[in-house]
Amino acid sequence: IGPAPARQSYLDAERLLEAARSTGAEAIHPGYGFLSESADFARRCAAAGLVFVGPSPDALEAAGDKAGARRTAGAAGVPVLAGVPPSEDARVLAKSARSLRLPVLVKAAAGGGGKGMRRVAAWEELPSALESAAREASAAFGDGRLLVERYVRPARHVEVQVVGDGRGGVAALGERECSLQRRYQKIVEESPSPGISAANRERMLDAARRVAAAVRYAGAGTVEFLVGPEGDFHFLEVNARLQVEHPVTELVTGLDLVRLQLEIAAGEHADVAALEGRSRGHAIEARLYAEDPAAGFLPTSGRVLRLEWPEAPGVRVDAGIVEGLEVGSHYDPLLAKVLAWAPDREQARRRLLHALEETVLLGLRTNQPFLVDLIGSRGFAEARTFTHSVEEEPQALELKGEEVPLPALAAAAAALLGLVPGRDGDGGGGLGLRPGTGGGAGGAPAGPWETLGRWRVGERS
């Protein structure tokens, strides 16, 4: 559909529509980002005779756009964080934001996923934050509008998975906690949330239903909340699309959310009321990113030389990579999602920890050692997880700065010793190590040891 830059491919509506026409497709599933919450794109699909797998254009304007969602939530009687309306004019935003108490959060009006978000602790920081956030929002969503709202700390990020039938019927399929984040991108998600009371959970589920029902929501979506230190919660936004972390809900409910999306988009009758009350046990997801924890979590690239996913009861892996794939610098650095389900949280945590330790991914540096350390930490085990924990108070989580998991070390050692059977007939220990595959000094191939890396909080090794 076009070259790698998103503006020339995934943000180009005409290219997407032409791809659908040329392949004889009847519908377009918009995925997680890009134009997935664009009312204009949904209308263009309809005009082209294509089904947009998602909410109606009117619902997207009322819920997918952050400003519209705030108005919808307020009208439905749901508490909303103090903030100022979106604008493309940085001067208007800077002036209006002064009505709020510091710190504040700058956010993209048209998208999510941490893109176009900046925390501002002093007013002199606001102009540069607005400029960089607008630039990032335009590149990610094709829309540079921003809004500013109050920043809550300490806070938990809790979201409710909803499914609507498009006629006002809405099911709330439980909540996910997504508090552990870096640069506003989620690292770990779990369901149910270990940090809210049963009474608060029911109030939050009811609030999510009201917001989605108000716009006659169709398909899968998420209503997000910030939970303050006293347990009070405020509406944050609606993600009017499928979430990256939807498998967490699938594991605890046994539902296939993508199938539900397709059935509703196809006009099949959905008895959404019958979908509720299915949650059983506990599920946790860890996102495996192509980034180097020892270098401030900078994105990395390289060829996937060796890949082994864990296989165990209750473990699920959703991956977008295979051996031999070249991971570039375009798009999000997410490589895979590793999940575990168990009857209770501690068993799920231990299963996920073991699954992460058993994962072998050689060829580029990833956040795997950090994830092992995080899931294995006392802070995570005790659910001391807040939106600021990873970036501002890692010591409170009691992270240890663990080394690379043993299976990965063993795989690297075996590769160096030539114990791994060749996979591509090159005689290179199965890793296909040839000059020019990148990573080593002077253009030499990256050795297995080099790609493992190590990390410690506040220390570069």
Side-chain angles (χ1 to χ4, degrees):
I1 60 171
R7 282 187 170 277
Q8 301 174 49
S9 51
Y10 295 107
L11 287 175
D12 189 324
E14 187 50 44
R15 283 182 179 269
L16 295 172
L17 295 173
E18 178 53 38
R21 285 190 290 262
S22 65
T23 56
E26 298 176 352
I28 292 181
H29 191 297
Y32 301 136
F34 299 120
L35 298 176
S36 62
E37 297 178 88
S38 169
D40 178 67
F41 182 61
R43 287 193 176 94
R44 293 184 66 172
C45 286
L50 295 160
V51 173
F52 178 84
V53 182
S56 68
D58 289 344
L60 284 170
E61 287 180 341
D65 180 89
K66 287 183 174 60
R70 287 169 62 89
R71 290 192 296 270
T72 299
V78 177
V80 179
L81 275 177
V84 300
S87 174
E88 286 187 297
D89 192 326
R91 291 172 298 180
V92 170
L93 288 169
K95 182 178 179 180
S96 301
R98 296 273 181 166
S99 63
L100 304 174
R101 187 173 71 250
L102 288 170
V104 297
L105 192 63
V106 174
K107 299 172 66 173
K115 306 296 185 186
M117 295 181 70
R118 302 289 187 275
R119 185 167 72 92
V120 176
W123 292 123
E124 55 266 26
E125 300 172 4
L126 186 57
S128 61
L130 291 170
E131 181 182 358
S132 61
R135 185 167 55 248
E136 188 173 57
S138 295
F141 314 116
D143 187 336
R145 291 176 304 133
L146 304 173
L147 58 83
V148 184
E149 64 186 22
R150 180 168 69 88
Y151 179 79
V152 178
R153 174 181 168 162
R156 292 181 184 269
H157 184 154
V158 180
E159 59 190 30
V160 175
Q161 177 69 59
V162 296
V163 174
D165 61 12
R167 298 182 295 275
V170 176
L173 306 181
E175 86 288 354
R176 298 183 292 256
E177 175 155 338
C178 311
S179 298
L180 291 176
Q181 306 174 6
R182 287 199 71 264
R183 291 193 290 268
Y184 307 106
Q185 287 200 319
K186 300 163 186 173
I187 304 171
V188 176
E189 302 101 341
E190 59 182 307
S191 181
S193 166
I196 62 174
S197 66
N200 230 17
R201 173 176 293 110
E202 289 307 313
R203 286 194 289 269
M204 207 174 294
L205 295 182
D206 180 63
R209 290 188 199 97
R210 281 186 279 145
V211 171
V215 299
R216 302 175 73 85
Y217 195 90
T222 309
V223 184
E224 308 206 356
F225 302 92
L226 275 184
V227 181
E230 304 302 320
D232 55 314
F233 66 86
H234 292 83
F235 171 81
L236 191 59
E237 64 187 28
V238 173
N239 276 304
R241 54 175 170 80
L242 193 69
Q243 286 277 70
V244 172
E245 59 273 19
H246 76 276
V248 175
T249 296
E250 292 185 337
L251 284 179
V252 295
T253 63
L255 295 169
D256 184 331
L257 294 182
V258 178
R259 176 172 180 159
L260 283 171
Q261 281 188 297
L262 295 172
E263 289 175 347
I264 292 169
E268 296 186 21
H269 176 71
D271 184 4
V272 294
L275 301 177
E276 294 199 357
R278 294 170 177 249
S279 292
R280 300 290 185 273
H282 200 100
I284 311 175
E285 172 183 289
R287 298 193 187 192
L288 188 63
Y289 285 114
E291 57 186 22
D292 185 358
F297 293 88
L298 288 174
T300 60
S301 60
R303 183 182 171 205
V304 179
L305 303 177
R306 178 76 184 276
L307 184 60
E308 294 180 10
W309 297 120
E311 295 183 8
V315 172
R316 167 175 168 173
V317 177
D318 285 14
I321 55 173
V322 294
E323 280 193 8
L325 179 73
E326 192 73 33
V327 176
S329 58
H330 295 286
Y331 315 124
D332 192 278
L334 181 64
L335 300 173
K337 299 171 285 186
V338 182
L339 303 97
W341 176 93
D344 60 55
R345 185 177 189 268
E346 179 56 18
Q347 289 186 66
R349 185 188 73 86
R350 290 179 179 273
R351 278 185 177 177
L352 179 58
L353 179 61
H354 183 68
L356 290 168
E357 289 173 336
E358 291 296 313
T359 297
V360 175
L361 200 171
L362 303 180
L364 67 160
R365 295 197 176 184
T366 73
N367 67 334
Q368 181 188 3
F370 172 75
L371 291 175
V372 169
D373 197 12
L374 180 60
I375 301 301
S377 70
R378 177 186 288 186
F380 184 79
E382 296 177 355
R384 290 186 269 116
T385 51
F386 302 95
T387 55
H388 70 275
S389 295
V390 171
E391 290 188 302
E392 298 177 34
E393 293 185 2
Q395 70 281 0
L397 291 170
E398 300 184 55
L399 302 179
K400 298 176 182 178
E402 293 293 346
E403 305 294 339
V404 177
L406 184 59
L409 290 173
L416 286 173
L417 294 172
L419 300 178
V420 180
R423 298 197 180 195
D424 56 9
D426 67 353
L431 297 182
L433 296 178
R434 294 186 293 271
T437 54
W449 293 111
E450 289 182 76
T451 65
L452 292 178
R454 103 182 225 186
W455 87 281
R456 288 189 182 280
V457 176
E459 173 187 333
R460 174 153 183 171
S461 304

